[in-house]
């Protein structure tokens, strides 16, 4: 059963108020956890590293060209538990990303979930209401 | 004749001692081996649990430490991990190794706990270590583990800068049992007279992870994009050097 957008945002907000143990090396104060934005773009690169996997994506700009976005997400072990592999988002693939934006306005944030071009949804702890 | 009788007596005593030792050492079932993940999938800084019954001064200290983290600080992530009953040893994924006379718990965060089974009498005043000294005894199918010799400087309940220190004479008692083949239960009670007004009791449910390769989650890494290595957090957006060019419009 998928949670409503509002409920899982609130759940994630509450859960992320303090960092988790596995990801407990920084807080989420830099992210606006009250908002979840959705953007579409092309995967540039996945940095499959601990303690946070980083996903880079080119997002088209209205007037042409692209912005480079960065999204922080779970450690490798947690993504593997969610069914991810390091090849789940190959470079060049179209992707739809839901994320909590950075408060400072830079292009990026904390990944909630990613939808592949084939419709497969890649979940994270945050998207499941636990962070 | 006397010498022969003495030899027989010594042999009998040794045999009895050996038999007694064999009876008191009981290894954990092989089914305990494997990788286990707490469910819900994490116990983030104690969320979902009642707060520990801290003494007022310790509670104020923890509240202040948490406020600093919420404001953008970072926990003591690049410091040696310390067992305090939960977290940094029992909240993330744990690998359980069953070997003769011992149970070893390797936390995903890196802390290694060795639980000695059987006829081992802990010293009265073990020197403090980050994992403590853990002795396990069986109560039916439940392994009761008593851990003493804990590092008094360990942050409680989490390694936050400024968190109250565990203090002297702390003790952790865990009751560990296999509820079914895929469920391992930890009932944990921490006693820390310096900071706790009453024992802090928690219950953790672990589910078996069916995977062939363990993925550790080191927190202390080089070039961490999320922290600056000086106690602050960041979001380093320096593009990777091998980033492919953007797609053509």
């Amino acid at each position: 059963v998928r949670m409503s957008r509002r409920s899982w945002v609130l759940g994630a907000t509450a859960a992320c108020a303090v960092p988790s143990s596995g990801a407990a090396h920084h807080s989420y104060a830099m992210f606006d956890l009250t908002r979840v934005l959705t953007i579409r773009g092309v995967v540039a690169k996945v940095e499959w590293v601990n303690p946070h996997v980083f996903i880079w994506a080119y997002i088209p700009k209205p007037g042409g060209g692209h912005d480079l976005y960065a999204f922080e997400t779970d450690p490798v072990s947690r993504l593997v538990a969610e069914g991810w592999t390091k090849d789940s988002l190959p470079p060049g693939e179209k992707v739809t990303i839901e994320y909590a934006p950075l408060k400072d306005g830079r292009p990026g944030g904390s990944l909630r979930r990613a939808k592949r071009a084939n419709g497969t949804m890649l979940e994270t702890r945050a998207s499941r209401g636990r962070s | 004749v006397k010498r022969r009788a003495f030899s027989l007596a010594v042999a009998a005593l040794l045999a009895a001692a050996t038999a007694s030792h064999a009876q008191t050492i009981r290894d954990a079932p092989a089914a305990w081996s494997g990788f286990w993940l707490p469910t819900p999938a994490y116990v983030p800084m104690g969320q979902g649990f009642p707060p520990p019954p801290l003494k007022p001064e310790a509670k104020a200290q923890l509240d202040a430490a948490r406020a600093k983290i919420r404001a953008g600080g970072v926990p003591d992530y690049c410091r040696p991990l310390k067992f305090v009953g939960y977290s940094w040893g029992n909240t993330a994924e744990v690998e359980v190794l069953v070997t003769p006379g011992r149970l070893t718990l390797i936390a995903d965060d890196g802390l290694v706990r060795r639980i000695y089974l059987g006829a081992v009498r802990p010293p009265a005043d073990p020197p403090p270590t980050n994992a403590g000294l853990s002795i396990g005894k069986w109560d039916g199918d439940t392994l009761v583990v008593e851990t003493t010799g804990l590092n008094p400087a360990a942050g409680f309940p989490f390694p936050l800068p400024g968190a109250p220190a565990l203090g002297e004479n702390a003790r952790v008692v865990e009751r560990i049992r296999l509820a079914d083949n895929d469920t391992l239960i930890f009932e944990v009670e921490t006693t820390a007279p310096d900071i706790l007004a009453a024992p802090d009791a928690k219950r953790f449910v672990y589910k078996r992870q069916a995977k062939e390769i363990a993925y550790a989650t080191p927190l202390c890494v080089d070039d961490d994009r999320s922290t600056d290595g000086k106690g602050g957090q960041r979001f380093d957006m320096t593009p990777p050097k091998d980033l492919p060019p953007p797609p053509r419009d």
Side-chain angles (χ1 to χ4, degrees), chain A residues 60-117:
Chain A
K61 293 192 289 188
H66 296 78
D67 283 327
L68 181 62
Y69 277 61
F71 305 98
E72 179 195 284
T73 184
D74 295 340
V76 170
S77 60
R78 296 286 81 77
L79 291 186
V80 169
E82 292 287 352
W84 291 58
T85 72
K86 66 181 178 62
D87 300 318
S88 288
L89 289 174
E93 179 168 304
K94 291 182 179 177
V95 65
T96 302
I97 287 175
E98 295 178 13
Y99 68 105
L102 282 162
K103 286 179 179 175
D104 64 11
R106 287 184 295 160
S110 176
L111 181 76
R112 281 356 194 186
R113 55 164 65 96
K115 187 177 181 182
R116 297 188 60 180

Side-chain angles (χ1 to χ4, degrees), chain A residues 17-101:
Chain A
V18 185
S20 66
S21 73
H25 75 312
H26 73 86
S27 76
Y28 285 78
M30 67 178 105
F31 305 117
D32 182 353
L33 299 174
T34 65
R35 301 165 64 204
V36 174
L37 306 182
T38 302
I39 54 172
R40 293 172 182 81
V42 173
V43 177
K45 182 179 174 67
V46 173
E47 291 182 303
W48 191 249
V49 296
N50 283 308
H52 293 286
V53 171
F54 263 73
I55 295 165
W56 298 82
Y58 288 117
I59 308 299
K61 293 192 289 188
H66 296 78
D67 283 327
L68 181 62
Y69 277 61
F71 305 98
E72 179 195 284
T73 184
D74 295 340
V76 170
S77 60
R78 296 286 81 77
L79 291 186
V80 169
E82 292 287 352
W84 291 58
T85 72
K86 66 181 178 62
D87 300 318
S88 288
L89 289 174
E93 179 168 304
K94 291 182 179 177
V95 65
T96 302
I97 287 175
E98 295 178 13
Y99 68 105

Side-chain angles (χ1 to χ4, degrees), chain B residues 5-30:
Chain B
F6 177 75
S7 298
L8 287 171
V10 169
L13 282 173
L14 284 173
T18 303
S20 171
H21 188 67
Q23 286 170 1
T24 51
I25 290 182
R26 180 178 145 203
D27 297 330

